[in-house]
Amino acid sequence: MSDENPCATHQDALLARATDLSKNLKDRIKSITGKYEQEFERLREEGPDPDNPIEGWIGIDIDVSWEVVTIKLDLPEVTMKLQDWSFDIPQTELVQREIIFHTPSVRMETRKVGQYPEFHGFTVRWKDKHCGGSHVGIQPTRGEAF
C-alpha cells in the first residue's frame, strides 16, 4: 500500500474483495458439482456415444397429420371459349383477266371548224373547213390482271 496514491488503497481493497468473492464462488461450484457427481457419472456411462451415429439419435415421436384447409377468396372467374363470328360481306370473284384503266392523254386531231360555200354554176355546195390541233381526252389503257 502506498500513502502517496489514495486511489491505490481503494484499488487494493477492491482487488481483495474480488478475490474473496471468486474463492467463495469456486467453493460453491465445487460443492454443487460434488453433490451431483454420481448422477453425472451415471449419465456418461448409460448415455449414447456422441461419436456413434446409431447411438446418438434422440427418441422423439412426432405426430404429423394432414388436413384439408379451404381458403375462400373473392376472385373473378374467367372462362375461355371458342366463339364463331360471321360477317355479311360481299363476295368478289375475278371473272375477266383484263383490267381497263382510263388515263388522260393528249393527241393531235383534225376537227371541223366551219363551212364555206362553193359555187358550181347555179348550184352551191358547202364544203367543210378542217383544222388540226391538240385534244386532251381520256384514253382507255388495257392491262393483264395478276
Side-chain angles (χ1 to χ4, degrees):
M1 289 194 208
S2 169
D3 292 333
E4 298 167 5
N5 190 356
C7 290
T9 56
H10 290 296
Q11 187 176 9
D12 289 340
L14 196 62
L15 184 63
R17 175 94 172 144
T19 308
D20 188 37
L21 285 174
S22 173
K23 184 177 177 188
N24 187 11
L25 190 59
K26 283 182 184 177
D27 290 342
R28 288 178 67 187
I29 289 173
K30 280 186 183 179
S31 69
I32 292 172
T33 306
K35 184 177 177 183
Y36 292 106
E37 187 62 39
Q38 291 178 347
E39 186 69 26
F40 291 154
E41 195 61 37
R42 186 185 64 78
L43 288 175
R44 281 190 204 111
E45 289 175 9
E46 292 178 6
D49 184 15
D51 297 330
N52 187 351
I54 296 174
E55 289 183 15
W57 70 279
I58 299 173
I60 297 174
D61 292 334
I62 299 174
D63 290 332
V64 176
S65 62
W66 291 90
E67 293 181 12
V68 176
V69 177
T70 305
I71 299 174
K72 293 184 178 182
L73 301 173
D74 291 333
L75 296 176
E77 183 177 331
V78 177
T79 304
M80 293 188 64
K81 293 181 182 178
L82 288 177
Q83 186 174 11
D84 293 335
W85 288 17
S86 63
F87 297 102
D88 291 333
I89 56 174
Q91 195 170 19
T92 59
E93 183 178 329
L94 182 63
V95 176
Q96 294 180 346
R97 291 224 164 264
E98 188 176 60
I99 298 176
I100 300 173
F101 298 98
H102 295 283
T103 58
S105 64
V106 178
R107 63 177 180 247
M108 293 300 291
E109 242 178 37
T110 304
R111 290 189 166 188
K112 176 182 166 183
V113 291
Q115 289 182 328
Y116 62 93
E118 231 180 56
F119 298 101
H120 297 281
F122 292 108
T123 53
V124 178
R125 289 193 183 162
W126 290 91
K127 294 282 184 169
D128 294 333
K129 278 188 180 183
H130 293 268
C131 181
S134 62
H135 173 68
V136 178
I138 300 292
Q139 178 181 1
T141 306
R142 299 183 187 278
E144 285 263 338
F146 314 118

